[in-house]
Amino acid sequence: MTHETSVPSLPGWHGTTILAVRKDGRTVIAGDGQVSMGQTIVKGAARKVRTLAGGKVLAGFAGATADAFTLIERLEAKLEQYPDQLARACVDLAKDWRTDRYLRRLEAMLLVADRSSIFTVTGVGDVLEPEHGVAAVGSGGNFALAAARALIDNTELDAEAVARRAMAIAADICVYTNGNLVVETLEA
């Protein structure tokens, strides 16, 4: 009989919620500020949403911070290579992410948006465009997504108000999400 020994691992950095909403020509990405390690909140005001391409593109990330920064740098390079072609830049990034030996190990997800499109980009090669103008990633992503989907067509709230309200709902439900938001907006 053999005995397997397990090596205790350090708790991973965990938790965030990133939400993208497009309504009436406005595109918004909102991200909470909480960073947790195991059951401990280590930072409450992290900035997980960025503007790229001279303010024409918004990006939010969930996952390992260093990995996400690496991916955002790569996305910026793709946007320089393919100006005003967000879909092409995202597909090219996803292809590199899936096939490059170094990038393949990166653990993060990106939500990327311009004035007309929103994409979720993953390390398995996915570039997904939402059907309803709403996308979310992270531990509280499903809560924020459900809330935003309910609010987007059934209220008079604008895109930013939908995002803020949906993020507040996610923060009330998900222990890895807080109400300390960074919100970036692109006008039509």
Side-chain angles (χ1 to χ4, degrees):
M1 176 186 258
T2 61
H3 290 56
E4 289 184 33
T5 59
S6 79
V7 177
S9 63
L10 294 173
W13 297 95
H14 182 75
T16 199
T17 301
I18 305 295
L19 173 67
V21 176
R22 189 179 62 236
K23 182 178 181 182
D24 298 330
R26 287 181 89 191
T27 302
V28 174
I29 294 187
D32 79 308
Q34 183 167 309
V35 177
S36 304
M37 190 165 96
Q39 297 176 343
T40 304
I41 297 169
V42 294
K43 187 170 184 174
R47 185 171 176 83
K48 304 171 200 169
V49 178
R50 304 273 191 264
T51 57
L52 310 174
K56 294 179 183 177
V57 174
L58 303 176
F61 63 86
T65 305
D67 292 356
F69 284 159
T70 299
L71 292 167
I72 286 175
E73 286 174 8
R74 295 283 180 123
L75 178 60
E76 284 184 300
K78 297 293 182 188
L79 290 167
E80 287 175 13
Q81 187 177 358
Y82 307 114
D84 300 321
Q85 296 181 57
L86 182 59
R88 185 170 181 184
C90 288
V91 168
D92 215 41
L93 173 66
K95 182 180 76 170
D96 289 353
W97 192 356
R98 183 172 180 186
T99 59
D100 182 274
R101 242 180 147 161
Y102 168 72
L103 294 178
R104 207 176 3 208
R105 297 194 170 134
L106 300 182
E107 296 181 13
M109 290 181 76
L110 299 178
L111 266 186
V112 182
D114 62 11
R115 285 175 171 80
S116 61
S117 303
I118 298 171
F119 297 103
T120 302
V121 185
T122 73
V124 295
D126 295 324
V127 178
L128 305 170
E129 187 170 17
E131 293 177 338
H132 304 285
V134 179
V137 296
S139 58
N142 286 335
F143 306 122
L145 179 66
R149 291 268 314 267
L151 293 168
I152 199 162
D153 292 327
N154 299 312
T155 66
E156 296 301 316
L157 299 176
D158 67 10
E160 183 174 339
V162 167
R164 287 183 181 280
R165 183 69 190 117
M167 290 293 289
I169 291 168
D172 285 346
I173 298 169
C174 178
V175 297
Y176 296 109
T177 302
N178 71 13
N180 203 356
L181 301 181
V182 171
V183 179
E184 296 287 349
T185 303
L186 295 173
E187 299 293 336

